[in-house]
Amino acid sequence: MKTTLGSIRRCDEEYSLFAPGDKVAVGVSGGKDSMLLMHALSLYRYVRHDDFTLHAIMLTTGKEPPDTSAIRAYAEKLNVPIQIDHTDLYEILFEIRKDKHPCALCAKMRRAMLCERAKELGCNKLALGHNREDVLETLLMSLLFEGRLHTFHPKTYMSRMDITVIRPMAFVPEKHVIHMQRKLEMPILHNPCPANGYTKRQEMKELIQELAKRYPNIEESMLGALRNHQQYHLWYPEEAGRDGEK
């Protein structure tokens, strides 16, 4: 857990993710990333001198409400209150719209729902569990399919929702997340999305894995380019004040 907390601290120090008195909602999907984020932040709030409160929000998206008892029990073990709601996203995306490529719209709708729940709980920040590879996959998708250099920022103020979205695990490698999930024996909820594993993001993940075989340090090099704001202007501090989400 020291590696996880160290990466979160590094991201926090560079992008000022947390401030005294923050009320932070952590979005929990039941996947390995968000579960590790909830666990790490439950500790990080005490490690820091500037304490913050933490509340978990889980939005399930399957055709039927899943069994979330293990997730709820794990949150209680961490002393993190959790709110679990079942949504109609599956019905909207796959039965009404019958969208063949629903990922972008699904992510946007889920984020909006999470922001709404967070505001209802009186939270001023929403923490999401994107890891380092998520950042790089988004960058490649933007380059290859949109013709621009763009990815999500570790800290973005959403003016329409009046809430700040933070991604404390943006520096954490996915392989470390997998290791910690096994070590901590965190309960994982099966992803019910029919498109899971057949998306452009999955293609980007596989592309990075292939490149890493030839260039072992490619992930750190790409992340370094994002952080080199004086030269490339992708993760420069001013981005934190813009609605950069798609």
Side-chain angles (χ1 to χ4, degrees):
M1 186 56 74
K2 287 183 178 180
T3 299
T4 309
L5 294 176
S7 296
I8 289 176
R9 179 183 291 277
R10 183 163 60 120
C11 192
D12 181 17
E13 290 176 349
E14 287 196 30
Y15 299 100
S16 302
L17 303 185
F18 301 96
D22 274 346
K23 295 182 178 180
V24 181
V26 54
V28 175
S29 67
K32 63 185 186 306
D33 301 297
S34 62
M35 291 298 293
L36 179 59
L37 178 62
M38 178 173 65
H39 191 129
L41 291 186
S42 73
L43 301 174
Y44 191 63
R45 58 182 167 174
Y46 300 122
V47 171
R48 285 180 51 88
H49 294 295
D50 301 327
D51 196 11
F52 58 86
T53 60
L54 189 65
H55 198 298
I57 302 173
M58 183 175 189
L59 302 180
T60 59
T61 57
K63 193 169 185 178
E64 301 293 336
D67 180 5
T68 58
S69 57
I71 306 294
R72 187 181 296 278
Y74 198 80
E76 292 177 356
K77 177 183 176 181
L78 299 174
N79 195 28
V80 177
I82 186 169
Q83 175 179 325
I84 302 177
D85 297 325
H86 187 64
T87 71
D88 55 2
L89 278 175
Y90 184 96
E91 180 183 2
I92 294 172
L93 296 173
F94 295 104
E95 296 181 354
I96 297 176
R97 290 177 55 90
K98 298 181 179 179
D99 198 333
K100 294 181 179 180
H101 305 285
C103 297
L105 179 58
C106 181
K108 189 173 184 178
M109 293 177 68
R110 281 175 56 86
R111 188 170 57 246
M113 291 178 180
L114 286 169
C115 285
E116 289 177 359
R117 301 299 199 284
K119 292 292 291 183
E120 290 171 0
L121 292 170
C123 298
N124 64 310
K125 288 181 179 174
L126 171 66
L128 301 179
H130 297 101
N131 61 49
R132 181 186 68 181
E133 277 64 31
D134 291 325
V135 173
L136 304 183
E137 290 157 14
T138 302
L139 177 63
L140 281 182
M141 284 193 294
S142 175
L143 174 63
L144 296 178
F145 301 114
E146 299 177 351
R148 64 176 184 146
L149 292 173
H150 171 79
T151 190
F152 45 72
H153 196 279
K155 179 181 179 183
T156 304
Y157 175 63
M158 311 295 290
S159 58
R160 289 185 295 274
M161 301 295 294
D162 187 30
I163 195 168
T164 299
V165 176
I166 58 175
R167 296 175 172 88
M169 297 208 309
F171 293 172
V172 180
E174 184 175 25
K175 62 183 179 181
H176 175 73
V177 178
I178 295 172
H179 166 72
M180 291 305 299
Q181 188 275 321
R182 293 170 178 169
K183 182 177 180 179
L184 297 173
E185 299 182 341
M186 294 184 295
I188 299 298
L189 197 65
H190 170 70
N191 188 342
C193 178
N196 185 40
Y198 303 96
T199 63
K200 294 299 181 185
R201 180 171 294 278
Q202 181 63 30
E203 292 179 16
M204 297 303 100
K205 182 185 295 294
E206 294 170 1
L207 176 58
I208 292 175
Q209 290 172 350
E210 286 298 315
L211 288 171
K213 293 177 182 178
R214 180 175 295 187
Y215 310 108
N217 297 322
I218 189 171
E219 293 99 336
E220 279 300 320
S221 295
M222 292 176 68
L223 185 64
L226 289 173
R227 296 169 64 197
N228 191 352
H229 57 267
Q230 292 181 340
Q231 183 174 355
Y232 299 110
H233 306 289
L234 288 179
W235 267 8
Y236 53 92
E238 289 79 3
E239 275 294 314
R242 302 182 182 182
D243 284 352
E245 302 293 333
K246 291 192 66 183

